Amino acid sequence: MDKISELREEFEQKLEQTADLVSLDKIRVDFLGKKGRITALLKGMKSLSNEEKKTFGAEVNKLKAAAAKRIEERIEELRQAEIELEIASMPQFDITAPANLERGSYHPITLVQRQCENIFKSMGFTVEDYPEVVTDYECFEAVNIPKHHPARDMQDTYYLTNGQLLKSQTSAAQNAILRKYGKNLKENGVPIKAIFPGRCFRNEATDASHENTFFQMEGMMVDRDISISNLIFFMKTMLSEVFRRDVKVRLRPGFFPFVEPGFELDINCLICGGEGCASCKHSGWLELCPCGMIHPNVLREGGIDPDEYTGFAFGLGLTRLAMMKYKVKDIRDLNSGSLKANVFINELDFRLCRPFGS
């Protein structure tokens, strides 16, 4: 009994000296673990009579239960102390400061990108990231644009002194995505469904609808029996959710080396209503989304057998989508910091940043 009393006093003394949860856990193991000091008391019962064993065992169990309870209480005390310390270290707020200050807003492209991400995630797409500085192979050769291919003249690319380049298209991530998810497709039959938004760069003359720095959102889906009808479905779903109303679009043939057949998805200009303005080059239409069926060479380069699988890819112009949604007439305003392009978040914009369907 003297041993029990001494151990109880020592336990309480160490418990009060404990200042953090890590040290407290060490005490728990030392006294209550399988090889703990309280448990070890029971090993000395062999020399006791049956009556003494009964009395001694009961006292040890009482000590064990009391120690466990005290540890729980001490855990709560330490946690409360941590909270109070955190509160005390927080900066003091001036309650007399004005509360109704004007807030800033998210950039229009950020709003559109988040909305599109939520829409595609609701349809089973993953959102991937990819560097802005890429290799020639990633940006061109992997997507069926070999060296000296005439299609390279379509994009005046920024090359760096180390031989790399600023990606001129989000298609630069296609090969990496195919290789990342190709094994799961082939072994488990899980379709490749991914979008990868990013900033692109092209050394070209700027005007109301062209910039040298702009944002795109590449998307692709690969599985068995994927067709153009799948592409059209996803594009229509996306546009109807972005604009929350019927939008007139047209699909016309277009040449892009990484798709075959290729298309240009144009949107009826929402700034002029299709009558013609500087934003749409007075045509009434704005090129929004180059797309098509992924070229067999691109699939093959990504480790996918084009005889077994097909897929579609698209390069949605987020910058132009923001122009149409927020009636920004000149694309250059979006990178200028001009207040003409400033869009204050309202209740609708907050709702559009939430997951699709919520």
Side-chain angles (χ1 to χ4, degrees):
M1 292 303 179
D2 290 339
K3 290 182 179 179
I4 292 177
S5 180
E6 291 173 2
L7 201 58
R8 181 184 291 111
E9 291 178 4
E10 183 181 353
F11 172 80
E12 286 292 341
Q13 185 180 10
K14 287 190 174 183
L15 199 66
E16 291 301 324
Q17 294 174 350
T18 304
D20 59 79
L21 294 175
V22 175
S23 299
L24 183 60
D25 190 62
K26 290 181 180 179
I27 292 177
R28 180 190 64 78
V29 174
D30 185 30
F31 283 87
L32 296 176
K34 290 183 178 181
K35 298 181 180 180
R37 299 171 66 183
I38 294 179
T39 306
L41 288 173
L42 298 174
K43 296 179 180 179
M45 294 174 57
K46 295 179 181 180
S47 61
L48 301 178
S49 66
N50 290 337
E51 188 64 29
E52 288 173 331
K53 287 179 180 179
K54 184 177 180 180
T55 303
F56 186 76
E59 289 299 318
V60 171
N61 287 332
K62 285 172 60 177
L63 174 60
K64 192 173 184 179
K69 183 179 179 182
R70 284 291 291 120
I71 286 178
E72 290 298 323
E73 292 174 349
R74 188 59 178 156
I75 288 175
E76 187 59 33
E77 291 172 4
L78 291 176
R79 284 177 175 169
Q80 187 62 35
E82 287 182 355
I83 293 174
E84 291 174 356
L85 181 62
E86 185 177 353
I87 292 174
S89 63
M90 292 177 63
Q92 298 299 312
F93 296 98
D94 182 2
I95 60 174
T96 65
N100 299 320
L101 299 176
E102 288 188 357
R103 295 180 300 171
S105 67
Y106 287 104
H107 194 279
I109 296 176
T110 301
L111 288 173
V112 168
Q113 177 176 326
R114 290 185 178 180
Q115 185 184 4
C116 289
E117 287 177 358
N118 288 333
I119 292 170
F120 278 105
K121 282 194 289 187
S122 73
M123 296 188 288
F125 285 73
T126 62
V127 181
E128 303 289 334
D129 193 15
Y130 207 68
E132 293 178 348
V133 177
V134 298
T135 64
D136 185 272
Y137 172 80
E138 293 170 304
C139 195
F140 296 119
E141 294 179 48
V143 288
N144 202 36
I145 310 177
K147 294 185 184 300
H148 311 299
H149 192 288
R152 295 202 181 199
D153 295 336
M154 299 166 60
Q155 304 172 11
D156 198 352
T157 308
Y158 287 104
Y159 284 92
L160 307 180
T161 55
N162 64 359
Q164 293 182 303
L165 53 96
L166 298 179
K167 68 178 179 186
S168 58
Q169 54 192 11
T170 47
S171 305
Q174 283 193 19
N175 184 264
I177 300 301
L178 289 174
R179 294 189 177 278
K180 180 177 180 179
Y181 294 106
K183 183 177 180 180
N184 202 19
L185 168 68
K186 291 178 284 188
E187 294 183 359
N188 302 314
V190 179
I192 298 175
K193 298 172 71 176
I195 56 172
F196 23 107
R199 185 166 57 166
C200 301
F201 309 84
R202 295 182 188 176
N203 185 21
E204 61 184 16
T206 62
D207 56 32
S209 59
H210 292 84
E211 251 286 16
N212 54 28
T213 304
F214 55 95
F215 288 82
Q216 286 184 340
M217 176 180 285
E218 191 84 5
M220 61 193 311
M221 178 178 181
V222 180
D223 198 2
R224 299 182 188 274
D225 303 320
I226 298 297
S227 66
I228 295 173
S229 60
N230 299 109
L231 168 64
I232 294 174
F233 167 78
F234 284 110
M235 291 298 97
K236 283 187 174 181
T237 301
M238 180 272 299
L239 290 173
S240 64
E241 289 299 323
V242 168
F243 293 105
R244 300 284 174 171
R245 63 185 178 92
D246 290 334
V247 178
K248 190 177 180 181
V249 298
R250 70 180 184 184
L251 198 65
R252 56 188 175 86
F255 170 72
F256 306 99
F258 33 85
V259 290
E260 179 58 40
F263 305 95
E264 292 271 16
L265 190 147
D266 300 336
I267 184 173
N268 195 234
C269 183
L270 300 181
I271 294 176
C272 64
E275 295 182 0
C277 63
S279 299
C280 61
K281 294 185 177 180
H282 304 284
S283 67
W285 295 91
L286 193 72
E287 177 188 329
L288 184 66
C289 184
C291 54
M293 301 302 294
I294 301 176
H295 197 286
N297 290 346
V298 177
L299 291 174
R300 193 176 294 110
E301 192 70 21
I304 306 296
D305 187 351
D307 294 326
E308 289 190 47
Y309 302 96
T310 54
F312 66 76
F314 61 85
L316 177 64
L318 290 175
T319 302
R320 291 187 176 181
L321 193 61
M323 290 177 64
M324 293 295 99
K325 181 175 176 62
Y326 295 108
K327 304 296 191 298
V328 179
K329 296 181 179 181
D330 195 318
I331 194 173
R332 292 167 290 192
D333 287 338
L334 293 171
N335 288 347
S336 68
S338 169
L339 292 180
K340 291 189 297 180
N342 188 43
V343 180
F344 289 98
I345 293 183
N346 52 35
E347 183 179 351
L348 174 62
D349 289 324
F350 274 124
R351 180 164 60 86
L352 295 181
C353 285
R354 297 193 186 111
F356 173 43
S358 64

